[in-house]
């Protein structure tokens, strides 16, 4: 099952049958020599423990995803703090735009890459952190209260937790139709934001990225789409663990979750700022 993120839908590396297999091995998610899902590592007749020992990478676990996501988000937070406190005033705009463009470019590369590169994931997290740090400081100054950043972080954590709980408690089934609808909506939304950004460079102001009613509407739409993308992310991870995706694919899951959580945070921060205004 494919997933998606605010940039574009992720690769099918977690889908059944996409594992890297040695000669004679069934790809993970496909029937093995004895009818069990193949792990993509050892040859026919090899027991699981021998398959893992002969592989360059054992199958990923949920713990792998949690650890690598924590590392990636940690890098985002560190660079956001550095950008908030250390970027000189005369470099704020170039750093903000540079962080956004570099993060977007790396996200595109990572999304199209068949083999995930942890170094690029860390570079993406660093660039995203610079963007978020400067952007968050700007919004905090506009509102007149830096506490709004803490509120947005807490709101992001609560929203993500409730989404995960809903996904597990109600055993939500991510169907191909649901996935397609979310991907199309996400790509359409991202396209509008990109076009609006380019138009703003030529002086056109549609209000989409502002703090008025139009900005509130699009921030709410963005937050809603982020929640749906989280559901796809959770399903992608669950399928990857279930079908024995290689351990290194945990970095892809970490990248995907980071993109979605950052997108959710940014839109929630904007919603809080718009609702509070400059009061």
């Amino acid at each position: 099952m494919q997933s998606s993120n605010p940039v574009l839908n992720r690769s099918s590396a977690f889908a059944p049958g996409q594992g890297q297999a040695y000669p004679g091995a069934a790809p993970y998610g496909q029937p093995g020599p004895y009818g069990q899902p193949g792990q993509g590592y050892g040859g026919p007749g090899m027991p699981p423990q021998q398959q893992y020992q002969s592989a360059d990478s054992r199958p990923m676990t949920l713990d792998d995803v949690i650890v690598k996501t924590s590392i990636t988000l940690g890098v985002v937070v560190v660079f956001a703090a550095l950008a908030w406190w250390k970027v000189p005033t005369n470099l704020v705009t170039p750093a903000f735009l540079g962080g956004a463009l570099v993060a977007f470019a790396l996200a595109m590369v990572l999304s199209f890459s068949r083999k995930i590169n942890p170094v690029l994931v860390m570079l993406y997290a660093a660039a995203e952190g610079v963007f978020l740090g400067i952007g968050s400081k700007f919004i905090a100054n506009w509102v007149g209260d830096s506490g709004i950043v803490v509120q947005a972080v807490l709101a992001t954590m609560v929203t993500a937790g409730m989404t995960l709980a809903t996904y597990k408690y109600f055993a939500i089934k991510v169907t191909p139709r649901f996935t397609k609808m979310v991907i199309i909506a996400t790509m359409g939304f991202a396209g509008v934001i990109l076009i609006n950004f380019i138009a703003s460079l030529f002086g056109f102001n549609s209000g989409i990225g502002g703090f008025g009613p139009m900005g509130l509407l699009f921030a709410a739409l963005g937050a809603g789409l982020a929640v749906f993308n989280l559901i796809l992310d959770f399903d992608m991870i669950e399928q990857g663990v279930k079908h024995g995706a290689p351990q290194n694919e945990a970095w892809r899951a970490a990248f995907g979750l980071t993109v979605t959580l950052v997108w959710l945070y940014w839109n929630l921060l904007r919603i809080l700022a718009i609702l509070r205004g400059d009061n």
Side-chain angles (χ1 to χ4, degrees), residues 206-224:
S206 65
I208 290 177
F211 296 93
M214 185 64 72
L216 178 60
L217 173 62
F218 270 79
L221 287 174

Side-chain angles (χ1 to χ4, degrees), residues 4 11 56 64 79-80 84 95 114 137 139 146 155 193 220 226 244 253-254 271:
S4 64
S11 77
D56 293 332
D64 292 329
F79 276 84
W84 181 300
R114 185 170 181 81
K137 185 176 183 179
I139 291 179
S146 59
I193 296 299
I271 290 173

Side-chain angles (χ1 to χ4, degrees), residues 186-227:
T186 301
M187 294 299 294
F189 183 87
V192 171
I193 296 299
L194 180 60
I195 293 174
N196 180 73
F197 172 75
I198 296 175
S200 67
L201 298 179
F202 295 93
F204 177 77
N205 183 15
S206 65
I208 290 177
F211 296 93
M214 185 64 72
L216 178 60
L217 173 62
F218 270 79
L221 287 174
L225 282 173
V227 168

Side-chain angles (χ1 to χ4, degrees), residues 12 19 28 30-31 57 60 64 73 82 108 135 148 155 158-159 191 201 207-208 235 241 254-255:
S12 58
Y28 60 86
Q30 296 295 331
S57 176
M60 80 171 189
D64 292 329
L73 289 175
L82 290 175
M108 294 289 287
I148 193 173
V158 170
T159 302
L201 298 179
I208 290 177
D235 179 73
V241 173
F255 162 67

Side-chain angles (χ1 to χ4, degrees), residues 63-271:
D63 287 343
D64 292 329
V65 176
I66 293 174
V67 170
K68 290 174 173 57
T69 301
S70 299
I71 293 173
T72 307
L73 289 175
V75 173
V76 173
V77 171
V78 169
F79 276 84
L82 290 175
W84 181 300
W85 295 108
K86 299 299 183 179
V87 174
T89 303
N90 61 323
L91 295 179
V92 165
T93 299
F96 178 78
L97 294 176
L101 293 175
V102 171
F104 177 79
L106 289 174
M108 294 289 287
V109 172
L110 287 164
S111 296
F112 278 112
S113 298
R114 185 170 181 81
K115 185 176 181 180
I116 194 70
N117 188 329
V119 175
L120 291 184
V121 174
M122 292 296 97
L123 291 176
Y124 161 79
E128 195 70 83
V130 172
F131 164 78
L132 284 185
I134 295 176
S136 297
K137 185 176 183 179
F138 171 80
I139 291 179
N141 290 337
W142 184 78
V143 174
D145 179 17
S146 59
I148 193 173
V149 173
V150 177
Q151 295 172 7
V153 170
L154 292 176
T156 302
M157 295 172 62
V158 170
T159 302
M162 291 181 63
T163 302
L164 176 59
T166 301
Y167 171 78
K168 297 298 293 184
Y169 181 78
F170 292 100
I172 296 176
K173 300 297 182 182
V174 179
T175 64
R177 181 179 181 183
F178 175 82
T179 302
K180 183 177 181 180
M181 290 175 61
V182 174
I183 290 176
I184 291 175
T186 301
M187 294 299 294
F189 183 87
V192 171
I193 296 299
L194 180 60
I195 293 174
N196 180 73
F197 172 75
I198 296 175
S200 67
L201 298 179
F202 295 93
F204 177 77
N205 183 15
S206 65
I208 290 177
F211 296 93
M214 185 64 72
L216 178 60
L217 173 62
F218 270 79
L221 287 174
L225 282 173
V227 168
F228 286 124
N229 274 273
L230 274 178
I231 294 175
L232 298 188
D233 290 336
F234 295 149
D235 179 73
M236 178 185 69
I237 294 168
E238 187 174 52
Q239 295 301 319
V241 173
K242 176 181 178 181
H243 295 295
Q247 180 190 12
N248 196 52
E249 286 298 313
W251 283 110
R252 192 184 305 277
F255 162 67
L257 282 174
T258 300
V259 171
T260 307
L261 289 173
V262 164
W263 189 28
L264 178 61
Y265 162 79
W266 182 250
N267 282 287
L268 290 177
L269 178 63
R270 290 187 59 214
I271 290 173

